[in-house]
Amino acid sequence: EGIIGYNVFSVTDPPRDNPPGAGATLITYDGDRSKNYWSTFGIMFEIEAREYVEITSLSFYTGSTSKSLTEVWTRDGPYKDHTASSSGWDRIYSEKIELKGTNELTVVKLKTPVYIQEGETASFYIVTRGKIVNVEPDVKEGKPVAQDDAIKLYAGIALDYDYWEDGCINGWKCKFSPRTFEGRIGYNVFTGTSPPRDNPANPTPTTLVTYDGRSKDWWSTYGIMFEIKAREDVEITSFSFYTVSTTKKTKTEIWTRDGPYKGFTSSSFGWEKIYSGDIDHRGLYELTVVKLKTSVYIQEGETASFYIVSPGIISVKAKKEGETVAKDDAIELYAGIALDYDYWEYGCINGWKCMFPQRSFEGIIGYNVFSVTDPPRDNPPGAGATLITYDGDRS
C-alpha cells in the first residue's frame, strides 16, 4: 500500500551493477488494511533473492509518532525455530528515531546492507516499542505476498508484548501468524555476486596495498584487464584474487600482450593465452591462486597488459583508468577495465554494455626480480616476491 518510484531501462542496457543509492524498491502489500490492520512490537519475515541483491533500507508505518528505539535484526535462511531469543541473529541497526505514524513511512537506511545470493533467503526482524504496523494477509505464513524481478517477500509473523518469545510472561500469547510487513524494501541488484565484506588482514605484511577505500565500489565481473609497468627487470609468476563465490571448477583464462591494451578489448586478436584451466574459487575471504606455467617477462621501463577471465572475479572502482593504484620498487599497477557478460566486447549481444572503465585488480601479484645483465627466464618457483593489490577493510 503506497507508491513505488522506479525507472524503466531499455533491454540493451540493464543496470546490473546498480550503484548504491540508485536501487529499486518493492511494495509489500496492496490490500485494504482497514480490517486487517495491526500494530505490534515487531514484524519478522523472509526475503528470497531472485537475483544477487543487497537490501539497503526498510520503510514502514508505525502505530505512533513518538521517538522510539528501533532495531533491525537479520539472519541467513529462515527464522523458524529462532523466534524465542536473539540467538542466531545479527543486529544490524539500533537507533532512537522519530516514528512517522500510520500515514507516512518511517525510513530506516541500513548502515550495513544485507547481501542475499540468488536463490537464497534471509530473515529480518524489525522491532520498535512505538509499534510497527503489519497486515494479516489472505495467505498462510511462508507464502509469497509480493515480488518483482529481484526479490520475493513471504508472509511472516508478528511479535508483541516483548521483543522475543522468551520475554513473554504469565502465559501471554506473543506470536501472531500470519502477518506481513507493510511498506517498502530498498535494494540494489549486483552483477553476479557477493560483496566481499570482511577482507582478511594483509596475508603478506611486506607487500603493497593497491587501493584504499572500496567500501562502496567493489564489483564482480567476468574479467579484469590491466597493465603492469616494470620498474626493474621482472618476471610475473602468479596472480591471486578474490571471487564472489566458492564455486568448483570455474573456467579461468589469463591472457597477456606487450604494451597497452587500448584498442585490443574487442577480441583475442593481439593477445597470447598463457593460462587455461578449471579452478576452484575460494570466495570472499581466501585468495584464489593461479600460478602461471608460462611466466611473463617485462623489461625495466616497459609495460605488459593482462586479462584475467574468471567469472565472479572481484575488482574495485578506481578514480581514473590508467592511474597508478599500487607500486613497489619492482612493479607498478595501473587501473584498468572490467569486462562482463562475455569474455570480449565482440561477444556482447543486444547492444549491452560490456566494458566498465576505472576498475582495478585486487589481490596479490607474484613476481621475480632479475639482475639487468641476465634475466633467468626459468627461475625456480617459490623464490619470488609478491605485490598485494588491496589490504583495506572493505566492509
Side-chain angles (χ1 to χ4, degrees):
E1 181 178 21
I3 297 173
I4 305 171
Y6 64 91
N7 293 316
V8 177
F9 295 91
S10 77
V11 71
T12 58
D13 189 18
R16 298 300 302 278
D17 45 354
N18 200 17
T25 57
L26 172 72
I27 193 169
T28 66
Y29 192 75
D30 189 30
D32 176 6
R33 68 176 176 187
S34 60
K35 296 181 180 179
N36 296 319
Y37 160 90
W38 307 86
S39 63
T40 57
F41 272 18
I43 177 74
M44 191 178 291
F45 54 91
E46 296 174 19
I47 295 173
E48 178 185 347
R50 308 181 76 187
E51 299 185 62
Y52 294 93
V53 298
E54 180 182 59
I55 307 299
T56 58
S57 66
L58 298 160
S59 305
F60 47 87
Y61 299 97
T62 60
S64 71
T65 55
S66 61
K67 191 169 187 177
S68 179
L69 178 66
T70 302
E71 297 180 348
V72 179
W73 298 71
T74 190
R75 59 172 278 106
D76 292 335
Y79 60 76
K80 187 178 180 181
D81 300 325
H82 291 87
T83 59
S85 71
S86 61
S87 176
W89 291 83
D90 292 319
R91 184 169 58 189
I92 57 173
Y93 183 91
S94 180
E95 286 190 19
K96 217 169 192 180
I97 62 173
E98 292 287 349
L99 305 181
K100 302 297 185 179
T102 57
N103 297 314
E104 183 181 351
L105 285 167
T106 298
V107 180
V108 170
K109 294 182 179 179
L110 300 178
K111 296 178 181 178
T112 305
V114 178
Y115 179 76
I116 315 174
Q117 287 189 331
E118 182 179 351
E120 300 295 327
T121 62
S123 296
F124 294 83
Y125 181 34
I126 309 170
V127 60
T128 178
R129 291 192 180 277
K131 302 282 189 173
I132 183 169
V133 169
N134 53 84
V135 173
E136 185 174 352
D138 297 329
V139 299
K140 294 181 180 180
E141 179 185 347
K143 295 296 183 180
V145 290
Q147 68 182 39
D148 60 14
D149 289 340
I151 61 175
K152 182 186 292 185
L153 173 73
Y154 292 91
I157 62 171
L159 288 165
D160 208 5
Y161 306 115
D162 200 88
Y163 281 15
W164 306 94
E165 280 192 279
D166 281 351
C168 291
I169 57 174
N170 300 326
W172 285 11
K173 180 183 178 182
C174 292
K175 185 170 73 171
F176 301 89
S177 170
R179 297 292 173 82
T180 183
F181 171 83
E182 180 183 35
R184 295 180 187 176
I185 300 168
Y187 63 89
N188 292 316
V189 178
F190 294 94
T191 50
T193 63
S194 167
R197 292 292 175 193
D198 298 308
N199 195 28
N202 188 349
T204 316
T206 57
T207 56
L208 178 68
V209 174
T210 67
Y211 191 80
D212 186 17
R214 61 171 177 185
S215 59
K216 296 181 180 178
D217 292 321
W218 60 267
W219 310 87
S220 64
T221 55
Y222 267 46
I224 177 75
M225 190 179 292
F226 53 93
E227 296 173 23
I228 295 175
K229 180 179 180 180
R231 308 183 76 192
E232 299 182 60
D233 289 329
V234 297
E235 179 185 54
I236 307 299
T237 58
S238 66
F239 291 101
S240 304
F241 48 84
Y242 295 100
T243 59
V244 84
S245 64
T246 56
T247 53
K248 303 289 185 181
K249 295 188 179 303
T250 302
K251 183 180 179 182
T252 299
E253 297 179 353
I254 298 179
W255 299 72
T256 190
R257 58 170 278 106
D258 292 333
Y261 58 75
K262 188 175 181 179
F264 294 90
T265 60
S266 296
S267 71
S268 61
F269 175 78
W271 292 83
E272 178 186 359
K273 183 161 59 177
I274 56 172
Y275 181 89
S276 181
D278 295 330
I279 63 174
D280 295 340
H281 279 180
R282 300 297 182 181
L284 309 174
Y285 309 111
E286 183 180 353
L287 286 164
T288 298
V289 180
V290 174
K291 294 182 179 179
L292 301 179
K293 296 177 182 178
T294 304
S295 300
V296 178
Y297 176 72
I298 315 174
Q299 284 189 324
E300 180 179 355
E302 300 296 323
T303 62
S305 296
F306 294 87
Y307 181 31
I308 304 175
V309 183
S310 194
I313 188 172
I314 289 168
S315 60
V316 172
K317 191 169 183 180
K319 293 180 180 178
K320 183 180 179 181
E321 183 181 350
E323 71 169 343
T324 300
V325 291
K327 64 180 178 180
D328 59 14
D329 291 339
I331 61 174
E332 187 168 357
L333 173 70
Y334 298 107
I337 63 172
L339 288 164
D340 209 0
Y341 305 118
D342 200 273
Y343 284 17
W344 306 93
E345 281 193 277
Y346 276 167
C348 291
I349 58 174
N350 298 325
W352 285 13
K353 179 182 178 182
C354 292
M355 186 175 71
F356 302 88
Q358 303 163 237
R359 301 295 171 84
S360 176
F361 171 81
E362 178 184 36
I364 296 176
I365 301 169
Y367 63 89
N368 293 315
V369 178
F370 306 111
S371 91
V372 71
T373 57
D374 188 17
R377 298 302 300 276
D378 298 313
N379 198 31
T386 57
L387 170 69
I388 191 167
T389 66
Y390 187 76
D391 185 34
D393 176 9
R394 57 180 168 188
S395 62

